[in-house]
Each structure stands twice: as C-alpha cells, then as structure tokens.
Amino acid sequence: MCICCGSLQVHTQHPLFEGGMCAPCKDKFLDCLFLYDDDGYQSYCSICCSRDTLLICENPDCTRCYCFKCVDTLVAPGTSGRVQATSNWVCFLCRPFPRSGLLQRRKKWRGWLKAFCDRKSETPLETYETVPVWKREPVRVLSLFGDIRTELVSLGFLEGGSNPAGLKHLDDVTDVVRRDVEGWGPFNLVYGSTPALGHACDHPPAWYLFQYHRVLQYARPRPGCPKPFFWMFVDNLVLTREEQTVATRFLEADPVTIQDVCGQAVRDAVHVWSNIPAVKSRHSALASREELSLLAHNRQRTKPPLQGPAKLVKNCFLPLREYFKYFSTELASAL
C-alpha cells in the first residue's frame, strides 16, 4: 500500500519510511523533497509531500515537516494535536527509536534516499547522500565573476565579516591554472555567472561560460569521491540561444528559468544550470522565450535591476543544509 495516499497500486518503496509508494506520489516526492520555504524549513510533508498545515521538527539541525493527516493516520489518531501542544517536538527521523505507531523509519534511510533519487529521477546528475549533522563541515565556496557572499552569510553557511573563511571570490580567471585551484581548495560549491544586464563587462558573455567550465573541471573531486560537490552557473539573459545550447552540452544539465514576478509582470529572470537538489523544481514557465528576450532587451536600455542574480537564486542554496554546517538558524530574520 502507498503510505502517502493509501493507493493499492504500489510502484516503488518509500525511501524514508517502511512502506510502498504509488507512481503519482513518487513523482510528487521527487519534485518537492528538497524545496524549502523562506523560513529555512522544507515546504512539504516528508512523508506524502502535501503542503497542508505542517508540524515542524524543533531539532535545530533538522528542517523536516509532517502534515496532520499523515501523522494522525500512520502514528495514531489525535497525534497531531498532541504534537502541537508539545514544546521541542523531535520528528520521526530524528528521535532515537525507529517506530511510531505504523510509521517505521528505514534503517540507513540516507542511503535509501540517495538510491531512490538516482534511480527514479529523470536527470542524469548524481544525488549525494545527505550528511548526518555530527559529520557536517563548513562549506568551502569558489565564486567566479558573481559574488554570493551576502547570500551565503544570510543563510548561515558562512560566518559574517568582510572576508569570511570558506569563500574564494575571483572576478578574472584568465591566468588561473589547475595548480591554483587545487591549492585554494578543496571546494564543495563552485558558483559562476554572466554579468548582470546593464553592467559593463570586459569579455563577451560566452567567455564567462567557457572560463567557468574550465575552472569547474579543476575544482571537481576525483571520480568516486563520496563527498558532496555542488555547482551552479547563472546566465543573466545575456547568452544567445546557441550559447545556451552549448552550456547545456558542456555542463551536462538542462537549464531552469527562475523569475521575479510581480502580478503578471516578469521583473527579472535568470537561466540556471546546477546539480543542487530541487533547483529543477523551482523552474517557472510563466514567461515565454519571447517575453524573456523582450525583458533582456529592455534591461540593456535601462538601469540594472535592484534584485541581483544572486538574490534570485538565493533560496536554491537552502538544500545545502542537508550537507554542510551552518552558523545561524535565524533564517527568517535574515531573508
């Protein structure tokens, strides 16, 4: 039986808890698992991926939530009410004992989750096994062309200060060779972007793509290394359609479009290539290619947008909380 919806048409096994999962629930789970709200907690139930009223785990190192229906159905009727009346509630993946009513946590669920995502996802990108909190280390970031220091500090991944440890920012990599990158590293996240529309740049847009790809190869861990390694390249609508195709071929990932929308008007947008979990789920199909082209044309004639590219993709970094240490849990006040 599917423990998400009760269907008898079992397609696969749930990766976190003992029980089956039907095909529609499997697809929904893959789309929603790593999506986060602005408060830093996951947006959907960790069992069924419903976005109904959610119970939040109060373990400061956990971000998972559970809907009332799953808790009352799989644990015991009325459990959600008792949880609401409890302070410092610890969820079913954090508590020391594995069973709560009918809900049984899988042994080695992190490995199950990785295998589930690798096997069931349509993307060829590998999913890294999430890291237990006691093994998480601070993230080490190489930021090319675009500086994401402010965003990572506000999310708690970097400590504050004018030059936070763990971040190497470069605006020009013309003379950078493999020995340089290996000496600065190892890195866990490599970020790069084309210049924002309206900003002067010293090179054609495709230069930033090719240089990013070159340095990315230097920073990649050796094949078979189990340590998480993430990357993201952001195009601020300056690459041509042909250059976007080249980016897809070089980076071996399809782009997603992330937009800043006010009402029905698209105020800003970027194309993103990345292996960070759930970036694909943030894709917005509101604007057509023609609308994005018009937006890019208008941006070239006006002052740069107030919201920079790094701010548009800021929440895409939240899934990294499953892999790296963070220095602040007060995300709501920082976002």
Side-chain angles (χ1 to χ4, degrees):
M1 176 183 291
C2 175
I3 64 171
C4 304
C5 70
S7 171
L8 298 178
Q9 302 297 317
V10 174
H11 174 75
T12 188
Q13 293 296 299
H14 198 288
L16 304 180
F17 300 98
E18 297 283 352
M21 181 179 277
C22 65
C25 288
K26 179 265 296 183
D27 293 337
K28 186 177 180 181
F29 189 89
L30 286 170
D31 286 340
C32 301
L33 176 63
F34 287 100
L35 287 179
Y36 286 71
D37 283 331
D38 287 347
D39 60 5
Y41 289 93
Q42 293 190 351
S43 307
Y44 296 85
C45 173
S46 292
I47 301 173
C48 71
C49 283
S50 163
R51 201 169 185 179
D52 294 336
T53 305
L54 299 174
L55 300 168
I56 298 174
C57 179
E58 295 183 63
N59 176 354
D61 297 308
C62 182
T63 61
R64 301 193 183 278
C65 304
Y66 301 82
C67 72
F68 284 25
K69 182 177 179 181
C70 281
V71 171
D72 288 338
T73 301
L74 296 173
V75 180
T79 301
S80 60
R82 291 190 290 273
V83 170
Q84 281 187 297
T86 301
S87 60
N88 300 318
W89 177 70
V90 178
C91 82
F92 310 109
L93 291 178
C94 294
R95 57 184 57 184
F97 45 91
R99 178 177 288 278
S100 299
L102 298 176
L103 194 63
Q104 169 92 21
R105 181 177 66 231
R106 288 198 184 277
K107 295 180 179 180
K108 300 182 178 180
W109 60 266
R110 298 178 189 278
W112 269 82
L113 181 60
K114 170 181 165 50
F116 178 88
C117 294
D118 287 343
R119 186 175 64 253
K120 300 297 182 180
S121 177
E122 296 179 357
T123 175
L125 299 175
E126 179 185 10
T127 301
Y128 290 98
E129 186 171 331
T130 58
V131 179
V133 63
W134 60 89
K135 292 185 178 181
R136 294 175 192 168
E137 299 178 351
V139 65
R140 293 176 56 85
V141 183
L142 178 59
S143 180
L144 307 179
F145 322 129
D147 190 355
I148 55 173
R149 174 183 55 189
T150 300
E151 285 70 32
L152 293 183
V153 168
S154 70
L155 292 174
F157 290 116
L158 297 176
E159 293 185 285
S162 58
N163 188 25
L167 175 68
K168 179 71 175 179
H169 175 235
L170 300 171
D171 280 321
D172 191 349
V173 297
T174 304
D175 298 324
V176 172
V177 296
R178 182 182 294 273
R179 183 174 61 252
D180 297 325
V181 178
E182 291 178 346
W184 297 325
F187 295 105
N188 315 111
L189 171 64
V190 179
Y191 173 86
S193 69
T194 59
L197 284 165
H199 286 273
C201 54
D202 299 327
H203 307 281
W207 180 91
Y208 296 90
L209 166 64
F210 296 133
Q211 292 296 329
Y212 173 81
H213 180 262
R214 178 176 68 87
V215 175
L216 177 63
Q217 306 318 303
Y218 300 160
R220 286 187 184 277
R222 297 182 183 278
C225 178
K227 291 188 175 182
F229 177 79
F230 299 103
W231 55 268
M232 177 185 289
F233 183 74
V234 179
D235 167 37
N236 296 286
L237 305 183
V238 297
L239 294 180
T240 65
R241 188 178 304 184
E242 291 74 20
E243 290 165 347
Q244 292 174 31
T245 301
V246 171
T248 297
R249 186 171 75 248
F250 275 39
L251 299 174
E252 301 180 80
D254 292 324
V256 301
T257 303
I258 298 177
Q259 303 170 14
D260 176 23
V261 180
C262 181
Q264 293 297 315
V266 180
R267 299 190 298 184
D268 200 7
V270 292
H271 298 305
V272 180
W273 292 259
S274 181
N275 72 332
I276 296 177
V279 167
K280 179 180 178 182
S281 298
R282 293 188 175 277
H283 177 75
S284 175
L286 176 63
S288 66
R289 186 181 295 272
E290 291 74 18
E291 288 175 304
L292 293 178
S293 297
L294 179 61
L295 175 64
H297 179 70
N298 291 337
R299 285 287 182 233
Q300 290 173 340
R301 299 189 305 170
T302 60
K303 64 181 181 180
L306 296 176
Q307 179 162 237
K311 289 186 178 180
L312 275 177
V313 300
K314 177 178 178 179
N315 280 7
C316 293
F317 296 119
L318 281 171
L320 301 185
R321 295 186 71 181
E322 298 278 354
Y323 300 93
F324 303 108
K325 178 181 178 180
Y326 50 94
F327 297 94
S328 171
T329 57
E330 299 299 325
L331 290 176
S333 61
L335 286 164

